[in-house]
């Protein structure tokens, strides 16, 4: 298929640009200069870029810097970018100029061409003089990084975590009476309730949400208005404050102009902190998914304490095998987010002098982590946890044969005597309860009281005992 081209000029000379493209020569140069990954910046970033450009145009109109027809056309065109209409017009690879200048100019060119078409009267809309008025790539791209990350956290990841937390809390209530053997170091420990374990998982997600929410104030500080190096050269002194306020009104997030533009452009500590909160969440999801995977192991030769929904065949050779595939997918997402965080951490270190030059890479990794964690959380809740059932009799059976049941006898007969019972229980495969009747002078009532599994899971009912893992 033959592609037709048109000739356009920029400050370096003429360029051949695809005839139907809304973008112009600077975008085409970047397309040709960076054939690296084949991955453009995520749609969430492009949409936030369109939103920032729309608010910039409306602010320039309010400040009297652009006349109404021109500003209105630019704002409308930018709004179309924000709505996702022109995603295909943003082809530049994520591995490009570290400031993201190419992507900023990509937006300026697309919006300028589209605004000119909307005006329809031959008015020339200039990408730099009009669309980029009062802006620099050096304050626009950090602003878009923050806006896109804050929006996706608020409208995608946090609601997904609400869903996951609710499912875990429901299971904690549903399984509050299911007694099972606790395990430390993967070895038998004292009894615990399955509901207690799942309450712990729900608490992990609640803490993860709180950590993420704690990063939003930093993400809501915007570099807009700082222009090239943070001094605000060529920008109206009210521009940054007004654009941030307009973004706050449009999104419902508390965006403000950064109190210190030199930090906002020279560093990306806020983005790194957000990534660290995502990294922590990823670790939580890996722990939870792996625990559920272990409890589900079997069905005959593993723990088989819970049963995950059978959602697809697990083997191309072993008939009837069903694997914990959702848990495995969640664990892989966690690993990917961990890698993304390492990249973001390295990117944050490259705030050399007055500008961070790792911005596109940081934006992609941060947004990818948010997207992956949100999707994995929903899938984990809906396709795995919601339909998981407890194998009550299996759980109860493990409790009775566990040598660690002897721990509850410590206050009555001492550690050493209880240890003898535990060792013999394991060696002879006999219940602790039975051996306690043979090896101690305790009454049957005292033994049954001490070895009541439910009682052992209630904190504070017994004093004494030793420490250890």
């Amino acid at each position: 298929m033959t592609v037709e081209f048109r000739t356009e000029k920029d400050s370096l000379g003429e360029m051949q640009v695809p005839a139907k493209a809304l973008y112009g020569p600077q975008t085409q140069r970047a397309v040709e200069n960076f054939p690296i990954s084949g991955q453009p910046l995520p749609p969430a970033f492009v949409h936030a870029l369109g939103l920032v450009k729309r608010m910039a145009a409306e602010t320039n109109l309010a400040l009297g810097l652009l006349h109404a027809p021109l500003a209105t056309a630019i704002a409308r065109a930018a709004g179309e970018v924000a709505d996702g209409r022109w995603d295909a017009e943003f082809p530049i690879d994520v591995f490009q100029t570290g400031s993201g200048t190419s992507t900023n100019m990509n937006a300026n060119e697309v919006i300028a061409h589209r605004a000119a078409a909307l005006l329809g009267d031959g008015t020339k809309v200039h990408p730099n003089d009009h669309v980029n008025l009062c802006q620099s790539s050096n304050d626009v791209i950090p602003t878009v990084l923050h806006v896109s990350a804050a929006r996706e956290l608020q409208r995608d990841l946090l609601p997904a975590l609400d869903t996951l937390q609710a499912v875990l809390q429901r299971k904690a209530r549903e399984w509050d009476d299911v007694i099972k053997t606790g395990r430390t170091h993967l070895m038998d420990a004292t009894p615990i309730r399955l509901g207690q374990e799942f309450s712990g998982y729900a608490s992990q997600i609640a803490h993860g949400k709180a950590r993420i929410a704690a990063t939003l104030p930093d993400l809501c500080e915007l570099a807009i208005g700082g222009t090239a190096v943070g001094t605000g050269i060529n920008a109206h002194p009210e521009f940054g404050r007004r654009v941030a306020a307009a973004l706050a009104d449009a999104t419902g997030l508390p965006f403000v102009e950064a109190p210190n533009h030199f930090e906002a452009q020279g560093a990306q500590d806020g983005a790194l902190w957000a990534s660290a909160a995502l990294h922590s969440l990823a670790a939580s999801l890996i722990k939870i998914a792996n625990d559920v995977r272990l409890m589900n192991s079997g069905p005959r030769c593993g723990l088989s304490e819970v049963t995950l929904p059978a959602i697809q065949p697990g083997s191309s050779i072993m008939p009837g095998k069903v694997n914990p595939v959702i848990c495995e997918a969640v664990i892989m997402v966690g690993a990917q987010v961990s890698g993304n965080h390492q990249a973001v951490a390295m990117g944050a270190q490259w705030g050399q002098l007055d500008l961070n030059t790792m911005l596109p890479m940081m934006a992609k990794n941060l947004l990818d982590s948010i997207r992956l964690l949100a999707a994995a959380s929903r899938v984990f809740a809906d396709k795995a946890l919601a339909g998981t059932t407890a194998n009550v009799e299996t759980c109860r059976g493990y409790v009775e044969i566990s040598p660690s049941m002897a721990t509850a006898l410590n206050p009555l007969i001492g550690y050493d005597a209880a240890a003898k019972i535990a060792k013999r229980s394991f060696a002879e495969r006999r219940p602790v309860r039975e051996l306690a009747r043979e090896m101690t002078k305790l009454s049957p009532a005292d033994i049954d009281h001490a070895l009541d599994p439910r009682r052992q899971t209630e904190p504070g009912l017994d004093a004494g005992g030793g420490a250890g893992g």
Side-chain angles (χ1 to χ4, degrees), residues 155-203:
R155 68 186 185 182
D156 193 14
L157 180 54
L158 288 173
L161 294 178
D162 287 339
T163 298
L164 178 57
Q165 183 185 354
V167 171
L168 290 167
Q169 288 172 331
R170 185 167 71 249
K171 290 298 180 181
R173 293 190 298 269
E174 179 184 337
W175 296 333
D176 184 60
D177 290 330
V178 179
I179 310 295
K180 56 163 284 184
T181 295
R183 293 179 182 84
T184 58
H185 307 270
L186 294 181
M187 305 299 286
D188 297 350
T190 55
I192 191 171
R193 301 198 301 276
L194 186 58
Q196 290 175 319
E197 286 183 322
F198 273 74
S199 75
Y201 304 148
S203 182

Side-chain angles (χ1 to χ4, degrees), residues 34-92:
F34 304 111
I36 297 176
S37 71
Q39 300 178 47
L41 280 157
F45 187 90
V46 173
H47 302 163
L49 178 53
L51 184 63
V52 169
K53 292 293 180 180
R54 178 188 139 202
M55 298 313 173
E58 292 177 358
T59 298
N60 284 325
L61 172 62
L63 292 171
L65 302 177
L66 286 175
H67 63 79
L70 182 57
T72 301
I74 292 172
R76 181 178 166 188
E80 292 177 351
V81 172
D83 291 340
R85 182 172 175 181
W86 304 115
D87 286 0
E89 297 289 335
F90 289 82
I92 299 172

Side-chain angles (χ1 to χ4, degrees), residues 302-344:
L303 296 182
S304 195
E305 293 177 333
V306 302
T307 300
L308 286 159
I311 61 171
Q312 66 182 54
S315 174
S316 62
I317 188 172
M318 291 177 278
K321 194 170 190 292
V322 177
N323 295 331
V325 291
I326 298 296
C327 294
E328 291 164 1
V330 171
I331 291 166
M332 286 190 283
V333 164
Q336 182 63 60
V337 170
S338 180
N340 290 351
H341 174 63
Q342 181 60 32
V344 172

Side-chain angles (χ1 to χ4, degrees), residues 278-300:
L278 300 178
H279 191 208
S280 175
L281 174 64
S284 295
L285 289 177
I286 290 173
K287 185 264 194 293
I288 297 167
N290 204 38
D291 278 7
V292 172
R293 182 169 167 262
L294 286 170
M295 291 181 206
N296 177 78
S297 62
R300 290 289 183 267

Side-chain angles (χ1 to χ4, degrees), residues 390-410:
N391 299 324
V392 179
E393 293 305 318
T394 300
C395 291
R396 184 179 292 118
Y398 287 148
V399 170
E400 284 301 318
I401 65 173
S402 171
S404 292
M405 280 285 281
T407 304
L409 299 174
N410 287 359

Side-chain angles (χ1 to χ4, degrees), residues 373-448:
L373 289 169
S377 295
R378 288 193 179 92
V379 167
F380 194 24
D382 296 340
K383 293 184 177 293
L385 296 173
T388 298
T389 56
N391 299 324
V392 179
E393 293 305 318
T394 300
C395 291
R396 184 179 292 118
Y398 287 148
V399 170
E400 284 301 318
I401 65 173
S402 171
S404 292
M405 280 285 281
T407 304
L409 299 174
N410 287 359
L412 302 177
I413 62 175
Y415 179 92
D416 290 340
K420 290 180 181 178
I421 292 174
K423 291 178 181 178
R424 188 173 167 186
S425 171
F426 177 73
E428 298 181 10
R429 297 184 178 275
R430 294 171 64 192
V432 166
R433 191 182 307 272
E434 181 180 314
L435 291 170
R437 289 170 180 163
E438 287 184 14
M439 298 172 64
T440 74
K441 296 181 180 180
L442 296 173
S443 69
D446 285 342
I447 292 171
D448 289 344

